[in-house]
């Protein structure tokens, strides 16, 4: 064995396992989602306490989403300049401080300002978290890691409102904001101490590092398919589901608000059932089959929601839509990770991917609301389902990113898959990452 080869083997032999770093990010995702859910029940009542009307309340909620969307390109540029870990920690601190300031707000306009600042921090840690997962997770475990991350976030989102109701009842309207700020500071401290910095570990790796530009990525039909499917996912799942489903249950089906909450919970259950398995399956069999299946399943079920004749049928369809969404989320994220690879730094590429979903979640409810008013719920759900089905077609006509033929860097960036479905072969574009591990090991 040559000296160089021996040195390389020695480096690989002493490389730390990335599992700890992955679990730190997964745990932080749970805390972030939990806190967001804790604040959600208190925010409308807190705003109304300043003597404003319902429209002013919706402005505060929309302002958070708007600043997320507006600041996403800047977040991508920051990732490119100073690295994912710094941007992630800064985002956590910004949200913690802005949330703490919300608890101290004395006027409606102060609350609006502080909540808007929180949106800036939110998009910072959202974009950088995806970058960190791409750089830390081994290529043959990207789907599983994405599924774990999404499951953790979902668990926090579901549990948050229940905890928030308790905190609200015990401490009043300001208490949830204090609680969330403190938990975010604790999460930031754990990440700062425990998470290792993803960075090239050799001079050769630093010289070979690739900087990805959005304009270059947009030339890839596979990346365009990812943008379209994330837009469709934002439109139907994060937008129309939360805005139109409760109205449909109450107005069209004539059921109570509590049943509307049950419908949302049923979707979440369907989602949770397949998130982790879908990621694991996509690592073994490829991303494309589960992306296409998830988009078709979610699209078809969403399109038929508006013509369901009973609550029972609607709940079954909602559960199926949740299953489809669960197939989409981890495999789509893993596919983007395959395209970028863990040696490249693609802040603007990741920011645009996140923005696609945010734009869909903003536009979707508005268009669906117009369709409900002017036509029917069937038209609103049908349109949303059609967008998901179009996105499925987009993935049908591009290669699977796990084939090793799709890379935004111009080099193979995915581990190949053998006939038995077990990953193998060298990841030729993936060198050392910041936890001292060579990808694929």
């Amino acid at each position: 064995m040559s000296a160089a080869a021996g040195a390389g083997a020695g480096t690989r032999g002493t490389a730390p396992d990335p599992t700890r770093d992955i679990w730190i990010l997964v745990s932080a995702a749970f805390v972030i989602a939990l806190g967001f859910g804790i604040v959600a029940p208190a925010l409308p009542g807190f705003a109304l306490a300043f003597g404003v009307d319902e429209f002013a309340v919706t402005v505060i909620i929309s302002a958070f989403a708007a600043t997320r969307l507006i600041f996403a390109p800047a977040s991508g540029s920051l990732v490119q300049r100073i690295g994912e870990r710094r941007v992630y920690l800064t985002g956590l601190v910004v949200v913690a401080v802005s949330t703490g300031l919300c608890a101290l707000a004395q006027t409606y306009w102060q609350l609006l300002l502080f909540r808007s600042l929180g949106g800036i921090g939110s998009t910072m840690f959202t974009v950088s978290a995806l970058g960190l997962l791409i750089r830390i997770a081994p290529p043959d475990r990207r789907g599983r890691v994405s599924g774990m991350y999404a499951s953790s976030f979902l668990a926090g989102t579901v549990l948050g409102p229940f905890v928030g109701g308790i905190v609200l009842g015990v401490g009043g309207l300001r208490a949830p904001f204090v609680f969330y700020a403190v938990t975010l500071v604790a999460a930031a401290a754990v990440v700062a101490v425990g998470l290792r910095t993803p960075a090239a570990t050799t001079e050769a790796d630093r010289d070979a590092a690739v900087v990805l530009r959005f304009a270059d990525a947009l030339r890839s039909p596979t990346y365009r398919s990812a943008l379209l499917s994330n837009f469709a996912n934002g439109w139907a799942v994060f937008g129309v589901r939360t805005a139109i489903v409760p109205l449909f249950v109450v107005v069209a089906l004539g059921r109570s608000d509590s049943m509307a909450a049950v419908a949302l919970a049923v979707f979440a259950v369907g989602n949770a059932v397949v998130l982790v398995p879908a990621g694991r399956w996509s690592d073994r069999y490829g991303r494309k089959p589960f992306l296409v299946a998830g988009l078709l399943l979610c699209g078809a079920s969403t399109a038929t929601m508006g013509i369901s004749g009973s609550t029972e049928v609607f709940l079954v369809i909602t559960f199926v839509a949740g299953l489809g969404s669960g197939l989409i989320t981890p495999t789509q994220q893993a596919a983007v990770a395959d395209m970028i690879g863990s040696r490249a730094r693609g802040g603007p590429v990741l920011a645009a991917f996140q923005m696609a979903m945010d734009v869909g979640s903003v536009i979707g409810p508005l268009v669906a609301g117009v369709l409900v008013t002017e036509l029917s719920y069937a038209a609103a759900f049908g349109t949303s389902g059609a967008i998901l089905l179009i996105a499925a077609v987009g993935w049908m006509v591009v290669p699977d990113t796990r084939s090793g033929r799709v890379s935004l860097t111009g080099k193979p960036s995915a581990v190949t898959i053998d006939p038995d479905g077990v990953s193998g072969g060298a990841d030729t574009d993936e060198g050392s990452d910041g936890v001292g591990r060579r990808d694929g090991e």
Side-chain angles (χ1 to χ4, degrees):
M1 181 182 293
S2 67
T11 301
R12 289 193 293 271
T14 59
D17 193 300
T19 301
R20 185 191 72 175
D21 301 275
I22 292 170
W23 276 111
I24 287 174
L25 288 175
V26 168
S27 301
F30 174 78
V31 171
I32 291 166
L34 179 72
F36 188 86
I38 288 172
V39 167
L43 186 58
F46 190 30
L48 287 173
F50 291 112
V52 298
D53 59 16
E54 286 79 2
F55 176 75
V57 174
T58 64
V59 170
I60 285 185
I61 296 172
S62 297
F64 183 89
T67 52
R68 264 182 58 91
L69 185 60
I70 293 170
F71 201 75
S75 297
S77 297
L78 283 173
V79 167
Q80 207 85 324
R81 290 174 179 272
I82 66 175
E84 296 90 346
R85 185 176 181 274
R86 290 179 179 177
V87 176
Y88 185 86
L89 285 170
T90 303
L92 284 179
V93 172
V94 168
V95 178
V97 171
S98 63
T99 303
L101 289 173
C102 285
L104 302 176
Q106 300 300 310
T107 68
Y108 167 81
W109 296 107
Q110 288 179 359
L111 181 61
L112 176 62
L113 172 63
F114 299 148
R115 187 61 178 167
S116 299
L117 291 175
I120 295 175
S122 175
T123 196
M124 289 177 71
F125 67 63
T126 300
V127 172
S128 57
L130 180 55
L132 283 167
L133 288 173
I134 289 173
R135 289 167 68 90
I136 290 174
D140 60 348
R141 289 167 55 192
R142 282 173 178 155
R144 278 168 283 186
V145 171
S146 297
M148 290 165 54
Y149 188 85
S151 296
S152 180
F153 204 89
L154 177 64
T157 302
V158 172
L159 185 60
F162 294 102
V163 178
I166 296 173
V167 174
L168 185 61
V170 173
L173 287 169
R174 296 179 187 268
F177 297 93
V178 176
F179 187 94
Y180 188 24
V182 172
T183 56
L184 281 175
V185 170
V190 171
V191 172
V193 172
L195 186 69
R196 288 162 289 195
T197 302
T201 56
T202 68
E203 193 65 37
D205 290 331
R206 285 191 289 272
D207 293 340
V210 178
V211 176
L212 292 176
R213 298 184 305 169
F214 172 68
D216 296 329
L218 199 58
R219 297 191 184 99
S220 166
T222 309
Y223 180 68
R224 293 198 297 269
S225 295
L227 292 179
L228 177 58
S229 60
N230 215 27
F231 171 80
N233 200 34
W235 177 301
V237 175
F238 293 97
V240 170
R241 178 179 63 89
T242 55
I244 304 300
V245 164
L247 291 175
F248 179 77
V249 172
V250 173
V251 177
L253 297 179
R255 303 302 295 266
S256 64
D257 291 329
S258 60
M259 182 55 68
V262 169
L264 295 177
V266 166
F267 181 94
V269 170
N271 206 272
V273 166
V274 296
L275 274 174
V276 173
R280 186 172 63 250
W281 296 334
S282 76
D283 285 336
R284 187 172 179 85
Y285 302 109
R287 321 296 186 201
K288 183 174 174 178
F290 302 101
L291 270 170
V292 173
L295 288 164
L296 290 175
L297 196 61
C298 193
S301 54
T302 299
T304 58
M305 284 181 179
I307 57 175
S308 56
S310 67
T311 304
E312 292 74 19
V313 172
F314 180 77
L315 291 178
V316 171
I317 294 174
T318 299
F319 179 78
V320 173
L323 292 175
S325 175
L327 291 173
I328 297 168
T329 303
T331 50
Q332 181 176 244
Q333 183 170 304
V336 173
D338 290 339
M339 286 185 273
I340 293 176
S342 52
R343 283 250 306 272
R345 183 164 277 169
V349 176
L350 295 175
F353 177 69
Q354 177 63 40
M355 286 179 68
M357 186 183 73
D358 287 339
V359 170
S361 65
V362 171
I363 295 177
L366 297 176
V367 174
V370 172
L371 291 173
V372 167
T373 302
E374 300 298 328
L375 297 173
S376 64
Y377 280 102
F381 284 119
T383 300
S384 301
I387 292 174
L388 286 164
L389 295 176
I390 292 171
V393 174
W395 277 105
M396 289 178 186
V397 297
V398 297
D400 195 316
T401 60
R402 289 283 288 154
S403 67
R405 292 179 291 158
V406 180
S407 171
L408 301 182
T409 64
K411 301 177 182 179
S413 65
V415 177
T416 57
I417 301 174
D418 67 24
D420 295 324
V422 180
S423 61
D427 188 351
T428 57
D429 189 45
E430 313 264 336
S432 303
D433 69 9
V435 297
R437 167 187 53 72
R438 297 193 70 85
D439 288 331
E441 296 184 354

